[in-house]
Amino acid sequence: MAFTGTEFKCEGNGKKLARSQSIPFDGATLPDIAAERIATFLHGRDLINLGKTCKFWNDVSRKNFVWKVLVEERFGKQADLEAGSSSPVDFKKLYFKLATSKKPATAFEVLWLNGDYLEKVRDRESEFGEVIQLNTVCWLQIDRFFSGVLPGKYALKWHMKFDGAYVNGNGKLIEFRARPEQGCGNELCSKWSENDFKRAERRHGTQKWVLHTMGEFTVTALCKVYVEIKGRVENWCGGISWDYVELKPLN
């Protein structure tokens, strides 16, 4: 690695470096504690890439406690919940588990998940093996948050399939939302009517899993993003299944 910059005077010998010259920077000349501190300012993928530059940085990038700091800085209390009481914890593995852009629908809080209105169903074509199936309900509420979402532009995508999907009621809508914490971006709200569901079912077929893009939103600071499906339909809705949701980075 090397730094280049404008002409300046070096301490000690009074020599000047030309603008085109480089200052050699060998990580091995750093004290371990300084290198480890530098590593904790990176995000996971950046730390892995740094580890590919030389043996010294590779050794730093493998240290479990460095990954522990990254996990705590990015995911906070959520990291404690996921790590549980098991010991020892592989914090690199935990980091990427928490940083995944997908969450299964079965990990969501689901109102009326009682086997009658909504239920968990095994599905061999599901990416996660088990899905949420909506049989019929008039009060739909499914929600969860992604923790430690990095700044950037994202698409909200739901992996869904339909089997005679319906949303009864005059002008009633099902809302698909993605909402960053206050002051950390803009909220996305995509509203689907019965015609939208039926149109998607005609286009892709009955009982076919399809990844539907609900829209795009922007995150401006490291934060939680709350993801929700909701609807208040007096005359019931049904015939819909959810496999997973994805926050797809667009930049």
Side-chain angles (χ1 to χ4, degrees):
M1 299 176 66
F3 293 121
T4 59
T6 57
E7 181 180 280
F8 67 97
K9 186 174 181 179
C10 295
E11 294 288 340
N13 58 18
K15 293 182 179 178
K16 291 184 178 180
L17 294 176
R19 184 183 299 270
S20 60
Q21 288 181 285
S22 298
I23 308 170
F25 178 69
D26 182 358
T29 64
L30 280 175
D32 287 351
I33 191 170
E36 291 156 5
R37 179 61 175 160
I38 290 170
T40 61
F41 283 96
L42 303 177
H43 293 301
R45 293 294 177 189
D46 297 326
L47 181 54
I48 287 176
N49 290 333
L50 180 62
K52 295 176 182 178
T53 60
C54 66
K55 183 179 183 303
F56 175 82
W57 286 114
N58 184 261
D59 291 341
V60 173
S61 72
R62 292 175 179 270
K63 293 186 176 181
N64 197 41
F65 79 88
V66 171
W67 285 99
K68 181 176 185 293
V69 175
L70 265 63
V71 166
E72 292 172 347
E73 288 290 332
R74 180 169 174 182
F75 302 106
K77 292 182 179 179
Q78 184 66 19
D80 296 332
L81 295 175
E82 294 288 344
S85 59
S86 59
S87 182
V89 176
D90 183 335
F91 284 98
K92 180 180 178 180
K93 184 176 180 180
L94 178 59
Y95 181 96
F96 286 106
K97 176 184 177 183
L98 292 170
T100 180
S101 63
K102 296 181 182 179
K103 283 192 183 296
T106 52
F108 278 60
E109 296 292 331
V110 184
L111 195 64
W112 307 116
L113 187 64
N114 56 10
D116 294 323
Y117 298 117
L118 291 108
E119 61 180 321
K120 292 182 180 180
V121 178
R122 299 292 300 175
D123 191 310
R124 289 181 296 178
E125 295 180 353
S126 158
E127 184 163 329
F128 291 93
E130 192 175 39
V131 305
I132 296 297
Q133 180 175 291
L134 170 60
N135 299 319
T136 182
V137 75
C138 64
W139 184 355
L140 182 62
Q141 182 74 41
I142 300 173
D143 55 78
R144 183 75 171 177
F145 65 82
F146 285 74
S147 61
V149 179
L150 298 174
K153 191 172 184 179
Y154 294 85
L156 175 68
K157 295 175 176 283
W158 272 101
H159 201 223
M160 302 187 290
K161 72 176 178 182
F162 313 117
D163 186 9
Y166 65 94
V167 183
N168 288 336
N170 194 12
K172 296 301 181 180
L173 302 168
I174 303 299
E175 298 179 356
F176 297 85
R177 293 177 178 269
R179 184 175 70 248
E181 290 182 274
Q182 187 173 4
C184 296
N186 65 294
E187 178 179 352
L188 164 67
C189 180
S190 178
K191 300 180 180 181
W192 279 39
S193 66
E194 180 171 291
N195 286 337
D196 293 316
F197 284 104
K198 290 188 177 298
R199 189 181 302 114
E201 187 168 3
R202 287 194 300 269
R203 180 179 180 183
H204 300 290
T206 299
Q207 291 289 334
K208 301 289 185 182
W209 286 109
V210 178
L211 192 60
H212 295 274
T213 300
M214 316 310 295
E216 300 176 1
F217 65 100
T218 301
V219 175
T220 57
L222 181 70
C223 68
K224 293 180 181 178
V225 173
Y226 182 75
V227 175
E228 177 186 47
I229 302 173
K230 75 173 186 177
R232 303 291 185 265
V233 185
E234 292 87 346
N235 296 316
W236 309 86
C237 60
I240 309 166
S241 296
W242 292 277
D243 182 13
Y244 65 84
V245 65
E246 180 178 9
L247 302 186
K248 181 70 173 179
L250 299 178
N251 54 6

